[in-house]
Amino acid sequence: MTESETTRLIAWSSELREAHTRLRDALAFVRAGGADPQSADRDLLLHCRGFCTALDQHHRGEDRALFPAIEAAHPELAPVLRKLSEDHAMIDTLLTALRGAADGGIARDDLDRHLDGVGAIMESHFAFEERQLLRVLETLALDADPRDVLGRL
């Protein structure tokens, strides 16, 4: 294996960690209410939608491209990958509720509770995923654009 091939393989683990960091940062930004207090309601709605879309795209890319590649190379991880996909479905339900709450103009305290719920589940999911998959991703041969697989946030 050449040095460039090794660098590309190891980059998948880095790409996953970086995607998770960007999503954590996006959630923190939404929780902070956006950048401009003068337009907080409009910004909050916009940032909630953007965050929901980014997290959804991240999970869809994993389900569509990353997890099948991992399972092909490591069939013993099929139960872990099923658990992660189940988490994705649960998070999708929470994101749907968050979008509905943001679109419905609910009170900031209620919206914060939705954000806390999504954040807690997201953090648990990311930690489990990283514990289970980072080592595998260091050797995974997947010829795809990381932005297509892990999201474009």
Side-chain angles (χ1 to χ4, degrees):
M1 185 175 306
T2 69
E3 184 177 334
S4 66
E5 289 172 328
T6 302
T7 301
R8 178 65 242 151
L9 292 173
I10 292 172
W12 277 105
S13 61
S14 297
E15 293 287 346
L16 182 67
R17 281 192 299 263
E18 288 174 20
H20 287 173
T21 296
R22 288 190 305 271
L23 288 162
R24 287 178 180 112
D25 291 347
L27 179 59
F29 188 77
V30 172
R31 282 183 170 154
D36 181 7
Q38 299 299 325
S39 58
D41 289 342
R42 185 191 69 227
D43 285 351
L44 183 61
L45 180 59
L46 177 65
H47 296 305
C48 274
R49 286 181 182 158
F51 167 74
C52 289
T53 298
L55 186 55
D56 182 60
Q57 287 176 350
H58 173 73
H59 288 157
R60 287 179 190 270
E62 287 180 334
D63 289 338
R64 181 188 69 254
L66 187 62
F67 293 173
I70 292 171
E71 188 168 2
H74 298 277
E76 72 279 7
L77 290 176
V80 169
L81 299 170
R82 273 193 304 278
K83 165 72 171 99
L84 290 168
S85 290
E86 289 169 4
D87 284 358
H88 292 172
M90 177 179 41
I91 291 169
D92 183 58
T93 299
L94 295 173
L95 292 177
T96 299
L98 174 59
R99 282 186 199 102
D103 289 345
I106 67 170
R108 179 61 199 231
D109 287 348
D110 292 332
L111 189 60
D112 284 343
R113 280 190 279 284
H114 281 278
L115 291 169
D116 289 346
V118 169
I121 299 299
M122 182 183 86
E123 202 52 53
S124 173
H125 170 76
F126 285 176
F128 178 72
E129 186 173 63
E130 290 174 6
R131 277 193 316 273
Q132 297 297 315
L133 300 183
L134 284 181
R135 178 153 289 192
V136 168
L137 290 174
E138 290 176 357
T139 60
L140 184 69
L142 176 58
D143 186 23
D145 184 335
R147 293 171 298 173
D148 293 338
V149 175
L150 299 174
R152 295 184 174 269
L153 180 67

